[in-house]
Amino acid sequence: MLPTEFLGIKLKNPLVLASGILGTSPEILIRMAESGAGAVTMKSIGPVEREGNINPNIVEFDCGLLNAMGLPGPGYKNMAGKMEELKNCPVPLFASIYGSTVQDFVDIVKFLREYRPAAIELDISCPNKDDGLSFSADPETTRQLVSEVRKHSGSIPVIPKLTPNTSSIPLLAEACRKGGADALNAINTASGMVINIEARKPVLKYKKGGVSGPALKPIAVRCVYESYEATGLPIIGTGGVTTGRDAIEMIMAGASLVGIGSALYYRGLDAFRLIAGEMEEWMKNNNIDSLQDITGAAHG
Amino acid sequence: MLPTEFLGIKLKNPLVLASGILGTSPEILIRMAESGAGAVTMKSIGPVEREGNINPNIVEFDCGLLNAMGLPGPGYKNMAGKMEELKNCPVPLFASIYGSTVQDFVDIVKFLREYRPAAIELDISCPNKDDGLSFSADPETTRQLVSEVRKHSGSIPVIPKLTPNTSSIPLLAEACRKGGADALNAINTASGMVINIEARKPVLKYKKGGVSGPALKPIAVRCVYESYEATGLPIIGTGGVTTGRDAIEMIMAGASLVGIGSALYYRGLDAFRLIAGEMEEWMKNNNIDSLQDITGAAHG
Amino acid sequence: MAKAKPEMTRILRIKKENPYVKTITLDMKMKAEPGQFVMIWLPGVDEKPMSIRSSNENLMITVEARGKCSEAFTCLKEGNSIGVRGPYGKGFSHVKDCIMVGGGIGMPPLMNLSESMDGNMRMLQGARTKNRLIFTDRHDMMTATDDGSEGHRGFVTDLLEKEILKKKPRIVYTCGPELMMVKVMEICKRHGVGMEASLERYMRCGIGICGSCVCGKSIVCLDGPVFTMEQLEKNPDFGKHALSRSAKKLTLGEYYGGKE
Amino acid sequence: MAKAKPEMTRILRIKKENPYVKTITLDMKMKAEPGQFVMIWLPGVDEKPMSIRSSNENLMITVEARGKCSEAFTCLKEGNSIGVRGPYGKGFSHVKDCIMVGGGIGMPPLMNLSESMDGNMRMLQGARTKNRLIFTDRHDMMTATDDGSEGHRGFVTDLLEKEILKKKPRIVYTCGPELMMVKVMEICKRHGVGMEASLERYMRCGIGICGSCVCGKSIVCLDGPVFTMEQLEKNPDFGKHALSRSAKKLTLGEYYGGKE
Ligand SMILES: Cc1cc2nc3c(=O)[nH]c(=O)nc-3n(C[C@H](O)[C@H](O)[C@H](O)COP(=O)(O)OP(=O)(O)OC[C@H]3O[C@@H](n4cnc5c(N)ncnc54)[C@H](O)[C@@H]3O)c2cc1C
Ligand SMILES: Cc1cc2nc3c(=O)[nH]c(=O)nc-3n(C[C@H](O)[C@H](O)[C@H](O)COP(=O)(O)OP(=O)(O)OC[C@H]3O[C@@H](n4cnc5c(N)ncnc54)[C@H](O)[C@@H]3O)c2cc1C
Ligand SMILES: Cc1cc2nc3c(=O)[nH]c(=O)nc-3n(C[C@H](O)[C@H](O)[C@H](O)COP(=O)(O)O)c2cc1C
Ligand SMILES: Cc1cc2nc3c(=O)[nH]c(=O)nc-3n(C[C@H](O)[C@H](O)[C@H](O)COP(=O)(O)O)c2cc1C
Ligand code: FES
Ligand code: FES
C-alpha cells in the first residue's frame, strides 16, 4: 500500500527522516532505517567543522519545539569515514548540505558524488545561523545557487529545502525549478522565539530558533500546496507531521514523500512504524490502494 | 499596576482588541471596551464595500485557528454612522485600514481624520486577499506607503501592521520607521492551510488562510523582538497571547501594548479581565510595579 | 474533534418533509441542547448554520431549499458525506406548559425542544400555504396558512393569542421570520407571558470572533441564537436591523431583499 | 510544565561537599528514578545535564566545578534561581545486595539509588586524592585514592574485585570515568556478575532528537544514560569513542583532552 517511487528511487514507504533529527551518525541513521523509515536524511553537512551553538539549543512550547543547534558538524572533509559506513544503509540515503558561498555547496557536492547518496538536499533554509537564509532572500540568488550545484551533481538529484520565512513560496519554488531542482523539500523551520519570563531572557542561547512540530503544520501544508501549484515538481512535505492523518494531509497538498522530524519526540522512536500503520489503516477505511491516487488530491 | 501610556495615549491596561476580532460594529467594540480591553481596534476598513469570502471562513486546528474572512466591510464611504457612534467608545479607539493602492489608504485616512481615532493601523499584512500583502513584499514600497499616509494623517499616529510572511522583519520594520511610522503592530496572521482529508479539500473556501492563536506565539514574539531591536519604535505585540504569562512574554520581547485576538475564542469574552488579572498576579509575585520596568527586558 | 473543525459525516437517511424541505439524519452523535446549531459544510460549495432538529439519537437537521447552498443540501443522497462542526450557541430554556410558535423553517429547533416536553405543551405552525407546512404528522400541531389552504386562514400569531386566552402558558418559545417573532413578543408582553426567540443573522465563524452576526450588543452565534424577551426588549436591532455580508447595517427589509 | 521547557526554580540550600563540589537543593518536587537526569539552565551562560542526586523530597543535584558552566553553578547562592527541565532518560534497575562503584562526580546518581536499598548494599568510591572524595560522612563508604591520602591506595576497581571475592553481589552499579567503568565491566564479566553503568556524552536536547549524544547505536539521553552490561558489550563505542560538539567521532582520549 505504502511503497512509493520518488525521482526513480524506490521506497518501502513515503516517510523520510528529516535532516538534523538524530542524523549525526551512521549508526543512528541505520537504526532509524531499521525502525521503519522509508528513507533517511543526514544532518546537514557544511564546508568546515562547526561546533554549533551553546546550550540551550532547544526548548518546547505548548504546541511545538524551538531549536537553534547552529548546524554543528565535522565539515565535509571529516566525513569520509561516515560516508563509507553509510554504504550499509538499508534504505535510500539523502545527504543534506549547507554553505556560505556557492563554492561551499559545489565543494561539498563534489566530495559527496563518489558516495552516491540517493539525492542531495540543499539546506538554504536554516534560521539558526547568521547567513543560513542568505540563499533564500531573493529568487535570483536561489536560482543561481541551484543551477551551479546542479551542474556538479551529475546524476544525483538535487532537492532545495524551502523556508517559510519568505514573502513568496511560489517565487522561491519557481526559482529552484528554473535552476534545475529535481524536487523540493518544503519546509524547514519557521523563525521564532520563546522567552522565559522568570529569567527575563530568550531561552535559547542563540535567542531565536526554528519552530517545528504541530504549530508548523498548517504553514507547511500551505507551502507544499503552493510549491506543487507553482512548479509541479515532486515534493518532500515536511513540518509538523506526527500522525498518519497528518501525512495523508501533506500528500493531498502535493507531497510525494513526507518528512518526519519532531514526531520522533512526540511519538517516540517508533514514530515511523506508528505513522505508517495509521496511514495504511486510513487508506484501507477509505478504499485507497495507492498513494499516487491521492497525491495532490486537494488541488483543483 | 497595568495603566500604561502609548504614543501619549493613556490606557487602563495594555490589552488591545486586535483588528478583525468582533470589531465590525460600534456596539460590540464598546462592549469589548466595557469588558476590560485597554483599547479596541476596529475591523480593517477598505476603499469600497466588500462581501469577503464565502464560507468556510474559519477552521480550527490542534493549536490555533485559520481564517480567511477576506476583509468583508462596508467601505469607508458607508462608515460615517459607525464612526459617529464610536465617539461614545469609553477607551481609546484604533482604526485599521487597507487598500490596493496608496491612494486608497490616503482616501480612507482623509475620511477618518475628522473622527480622530487614537491611531490608525495600516493593514498591509492580510494574507486572505489576493493583493493583501503587496505593500509588504519589498521594503521600499512599504516605506513609500507609510510616508504618503503619514503626510495625511496629521496628528493621528500611524501604526503599520507587520506580516510574518517576509524574509526579514528587521528590513520591513525599518522601512516603516523610515516612512515615518509612529509605532508598529507585530504581527498579523501567518499564511497557512488546513486540508480535510476525508473531503480531500482545503477547508477554507479561499483555500489558504491566516494562522492565529497559540501556534503563532513564538513567531510573533520573535517578530516583536526583532522589530524592537531594529527600530526602537513602540510596538503592539499581537499573536497567540491567551494568558497573562503570554502577555508578559510579549512585553519582555519589546511590546508596549498587547493585541488580543483568538484568545476571545480560547478564553471567552471575559478574556481581557482574565488576562489582566493574571498579569497583575504575576507582577505582584515577582515584585514588579510597572510594565515600563519589564518592557523589552529580554533584550541585552 | 477540535470545536471549530468540520468532521465529514455520512448521511444515513433523508426524509422529504414537503416539496422544499428535507430532514437529514447523520452518522454522528452529539450532546446538544434544543436551540443550539451546527455549521454544515458542503465541500466546494459553502458552509451554513443549521439548527439541530434532534440529537437524542443521531444528529438530525431539517433544511429548506432557499438559495444555492441550501438547495444543494436538499439534493444530497443517502451515503453522501457533509462536514459538521458544533454544537454552538445557547439554546432554549426548558419550561413545560409552554406554547411554541414556529414559522416556516423555524420549526426544527422547536420540534427538538418539544420532544422532551412529555406532551405538556402546545405547538403552532404558520406557513404561506399548505405544502409549506412541515411535521404535520404530529397529531397535536395547530396550523395557520396565509391562504387558508390548511388550518386557520391568517397569521399564526392569531392562534397564539387565542391559545393564551384559552389557558395562559408559563412561557412561549418561538422561531421563524423575525417580524412574526416581534409580533409574538408583543402578544406575550401584552399578556404578561415570558418568551424566548431564536434569531437568524449572517454567520461566518459561528464561534463568536468574526463579528458577522452581531445584533445590537449581542453576538448571535455565541450569546444566542436564543434570546429571552428581556434581552430582546433591550436590543435596538431586534426586528429592525441586520448586518449584510459586508457588515453594513441594513433594515430587515433590505437584508431579506423585501422577502420579509 | 511541557517536558522540554525549563522552569525557573529557587535554590533552597547549598551544601559544600568538598572544595570543588556542591550539593544544591531546589524548590521543586519531581517524580524521577535514580540514574535519570535533568537539564540545568543558567540563563545567559549555558545548560548542562546533571544527574538527580535525590528526588525523594526536594530535587537535589551535586555539581563539581569542572569548566565554565559548572564553575558558575558552584558559585550560585541560596535564593538564586536556575532553570530545570526533566527528568530525562532511563535510570538504574533496583536490585538489592549490590555493589556500587563511583568515581568522582559519578557518585550522585549512585547515592540516589543507595537511599532505597535499606543498607542492603556496599558502596565504593574512587578519587584522585582525599579532598576530591564526597559523601564521606556516610559511615559505610569504602574509598580508594590514587595517592593513598584516604582509604585504599590505588584503583577503586581493586576494592571491587576484593568485595566480589568476599561475597558475590547480585549486581554492580557504576558511574564515573568511562575507563573505570570499562574496568568494572571486565571484572564483573570475569566473576559472572551483572552490571549497569551510567554514561556521559555531550548533550544538547536531552530528549533524543538532536543526535549529539550518540554512542554506537545508542542515544545516550534517551536509551540511557544507564545501560546494562549486555548493551555495553554490543556497543563498539563504549570505552572507545565519543562525539565532539561538532559530532566528530573522537577517541575518549581526544574527547577528554587527554584528561581521561
Ligand atoms: C442559527 C441559525 C439556524 C438556522 N437553522 C436552519 C435550519 O434548521 N434549516 C434551514 O433550512 N436553514 C436554517 N438557517 C438558515 C440557513 O443557514 C441559510 O441561511 C439558508 O439555508 C439559506 O442559505 P442559502 O445559501 O441556500 O441561500 P442564499 O441565497 O445564500 O441566502 C439566502 C438568505 O439566507 C441567509 N443566509 C445566507 N447565508 C447565511 C449564513 N451563512 N448565515 C446566516 N444566514 C445566511 C441570508 O438572509 C440570505 O439573504 C439557519 C440560520 C441560522 C443563523
Ligand atoms: C547524563 C549526565 C549526567 C551528569 N551528571 C553530572 C552531575 O551530577 N554533576 C556534575 O557535576 N556533572 C555532571 N555531568 C557533567 C556535566 O553535564 C558537565 O559536563 C560538566 O559540569 C562540565 O561542564 P562545564 O561546562 O563546566 O565544562 P566544559 O569546560 O564546558 O566541559 C568540560 C567537559 O564536560 C563535558 N561536557 C561539557 N558540556 C557537556 C554537555 N552539554 N553534555 C555532556 N557533557 C558535557 C565534556 O566532556 C567537556 O569536555 C553529567 C553529564 C551527563 C551527560
Ligand atoms: C533539532 C533539529 C535540528 C534540525 N537540523 C536541521 C538541519 O541540519 N538541516 C535541515 O535542513 N533541517 C534541519 N531541521 C529541520 C527539520 O529537518 C524539519 O524541516 C523541521 O524540523 C520541520 O519538521 P518537523 O515539524 O517534522 O520537525 C532541524 C530540526 C530540528 C528540530
Ligand atoms: C477572524 C479574524 C479576522 C481578522 N481580521 C483582521 C483584519 O481585518 N485586519 C487585521 O489587521 N488583522 C486581522 N486579523 C488578525 C488579528 O488582528 C491578529 O493580528 C491575529 O489574529 C493574531 O493574533 P491572535 O493570535 O491573538 O489572534 C484577523 C484575525 C482573525 C482570527
Ligand atoms: S458568526 Fe462570527 S461572531 Fe458570530
Ligand atoms: S542530547 Fe540530543 S539526542 Fe541526546
Side-chain angles (χ1 to χ4, degrees), chain A residues 20-28 30-32 34 43 49-62 65 69 72-75 78 82 85 194 196 198-199 201-205 212 261-262 264-265 269, chain D residues 1-8 39 41-49 68 83 85 88 202-219 222-223 236-237 243-250:
Chain A
I21 311 298
L22 287 177
T24 48
S25 90
E27 294 91 333
I28 298 289
I30 292 170
R31 177 172 165 189
M32 288 300 105
E34 288 164 354
K43 171 82 189 166
E49 187 168 352
R50 250 180 92 88
E51 294 212 319
N53 298 324
I54 291 176
N55 278 353
N57 275 292
I58 202 153
V59 60
E60 188 171 358
F61 59 98
D62 286 349
L65 295 171
M69 297 292 157
N78 289 312
K82 292 193 182 186
E85 270 187 72
V194 171
N196 182 300
E198 277 78 22
K201 283 206 159 39
V203 174
L204 301 186
K205 182 73 178 176
S212 65
S262 308
L264 268 78
Y265 170 60
L269 294 184
Chain D
M1 88 174 143
K3 257 181 87 190
K5 195 168 166 181
E7 190 169 310
M8 292 304 288
M39 295 294 292
W41 176 40
L42 195 52
V45 181
D46 206 331
E47 184 187 49
K48 296 287 173 190
K68 185 176 157 203
R85 62 183 175 100
Y88 297 123
Y202 194 81
M203 289 183 182
R204 282 192 174 87
C205 71
I207 57 173
I209 68 160
C210 76
S212 297
C213 66
V214 301
C215 174
K217 268 193 190 292
S218 295
I219 301 159
L222 195 72
D223 304 322
D237 288 335
L243 295 189
S244 71
R245 274 190 63 190
S246 60
K248 198 155 78 176
K249 197 183 259 192
L250 304 179

Side-chain angles (χ1 to χ4, degrees), chain D residues 48-49 51 62 64 66-67 69-70 105 200-203 255:
Chain D
K48 296 287 173 190
S51 294
T62 298
E64 180 185 45
R66 259 209 261 173
C69 181
S70 51
I105 200 59
E200 254 192 58
R201 285 296 180 275
Y202 194 81
M203 289 183 182
Y255 180 71

Side-chain angles (χ1 to χ4, degrees), chain A residues 1 39 72 83 86 122 132-133 152 191 194 202 204 206 223 289:
Chain A
M1 217 163 204
M83 295 311 300
L86 282 166
L122 309 184
L133 287 166
H152 294 89
S191 178
V194 171
L204 301 186
Y206 189 70
C223 291
D289 296 326

Side-chain angles (χ1 to χ4, degrees), chain C residues 3-18:
Chain C
K3 259 181 85 188
K5 194 169 166 179
E7 190 169 310
M8 291 304 289
T9 309
R10 216 159 44 87
I11 296 176
L12 292 179
R13 276 185 308 281
I14 294 180
K15 180 171 176 247
K16 191 168 167 173
E17 303 286 358
N18 74 27

Side-chain angles (χ1 to χ4, degrees), chain C residues 70-142:
Chain C
S70 50
E71 174 87 43
F73 283 147
T74 58
C75 295
L76 289 165
K77 301 271 165 282
E78 290 173 4
N80 288 168
S81 287
I82 53 180
V84 179
R85 61 183 175 99
Y88 297 123
K90 250 185 77 310
F92 292 105
S93 64
H94 189 276
V95 176
K96 291 183 185 180
D97 189 7
C98 59
I99 298 179
M100 298 185 185
V101 185
I105 201 58
M107 287 302 294
L110 297 176
M111 277 296 281
N112 192 4
L113 179 64
S114 77
E115 279 169 7
S116 52
M117 288 284 171
D118 306 323
N120 214 332
M121 38 126 345
R122 289 168 276 175
M123 181 167 289
L124 320 181
Q125 179 180 186
R128 264 178 279 157
T129 175
K130 179 178 170 162
N131 73 358
R132 288 279 177 177
L133 290 165
I134 54 179
F135 308 137
T136 43
D137 46 353
R138 232 190 120 108
H139 70 278
D140 61 351
M141 179 88 70
M142 290 173 263

